[in-house]
Amino acid sequence: EGPNVREMERRGIPTERGEWNRAVIERNAERDRRDEEARTQREREEARRRDPVERREDAWQSIGYSRETARTLATWERDRGREFRTDGEAHQHLERQRDAMYRDKWSLREDGHALREVDRMLEARDRALEKVAEHETGGGVLRRAFSGSAREDYREARRDVGWYDRELGRQGISCREDVDRRAEELSAREEAQREREGSWGPYEKAWRELGSVMRAREEDHRQELRERNWEMLDRMRGDPPGTAKAREEMDRGDEWGR
């Protein structure tokens, strides 16, 4: 620029050489920014090529799956050590995961129901034992001696105690501690189930999304076949393109009107 131009620029007087230099500085800054973005993109793509999960995630996304479903399928492929060959194979794997999840949930539900039933039987057995003990005390013995209904009540309580003892014995329950121990085991299993549901949630969502994607693809295929049929009818009849489709829509409208 030289001292004269620099002095004029310092005073706020624009010069041709100063404008040119400012344009060069701006152009160089833009070029550096583009170079930095390109370098970052190359590094990202290189890292993605090195990571099999990222690479397979891109592959699943390229055929129409969302990022979450693509990530789920890619993670499965990494854990299994091989890739799914087709969409159908991935769909079957998702269904197996869903069935396993439902089986575990149903098992927990059944075990919880059985534990509540055992607890109810144990409480009923305790009540029957209290009734037996009441009849075997002094006042109870006298009532049984002079009352037939008291004797029958005593025999019924003894039968109830025996029945509950047999039923609880079949399930390995002899006291309240056994019920508490089984309840703790069930709670531990339920907690493990909840922890697994953190990973099952995306799986179930991915399974549903795969189903919707496959249904959408089937609908697109049916629509393509319909359009081919309309085109064939137009050619056979010598009608302008779209005539068969318009006639079908009009006929459908007449049916709805009727």
Side-chain angles (χ1 to χ4, degrees), residues 201-231:
Y203 289 173
E204 188 170 3
K205 182 177 180 181
W207 172 80
R208 292 174 179 172
E209 183 175 348
L210 273 177
S212 63
V213 168
M214 296 182 74
R215 286 192 295 272
R217 289 182 179 177
E218 291 176 359
E219 179 60 29
D220 292 341
H221 181 63
R222 286 194 294 268
Q223 180 64 24
E224 184 179 353
L225 292 178
R226 285 195 296 266
E227 291 177 355
R228 290 179 182 176
N229 188 31
W230 292 332
E231 293 176 359

Side-chain angles (χ1 to χ4, degrees), residues 38 44 59 91 100 104 107 119 124 139 148-149 160 163 187 194 209 215:
R44 188 181 299 114
H91 186 82
D104 288 349
S107 175
D119 194 39
S149 61
D160 289 343
W163 184 84
S187 298
R194 281 192 291 271
E209 183 175 348
R215 286 192 295 272

Side-chain angles (χ1 to χ4, degrees), residues 75-84 89 93 96:
T75 304
W76 281 351
E77 289 176 329
R78 181 197 61 192
D79 297 340
R80 295 166 71 238
R82 62 186 180 89
E83 298 177 354
F84 295 115
E89 185 180 355
H93 189 76
R96 287 195 294 271

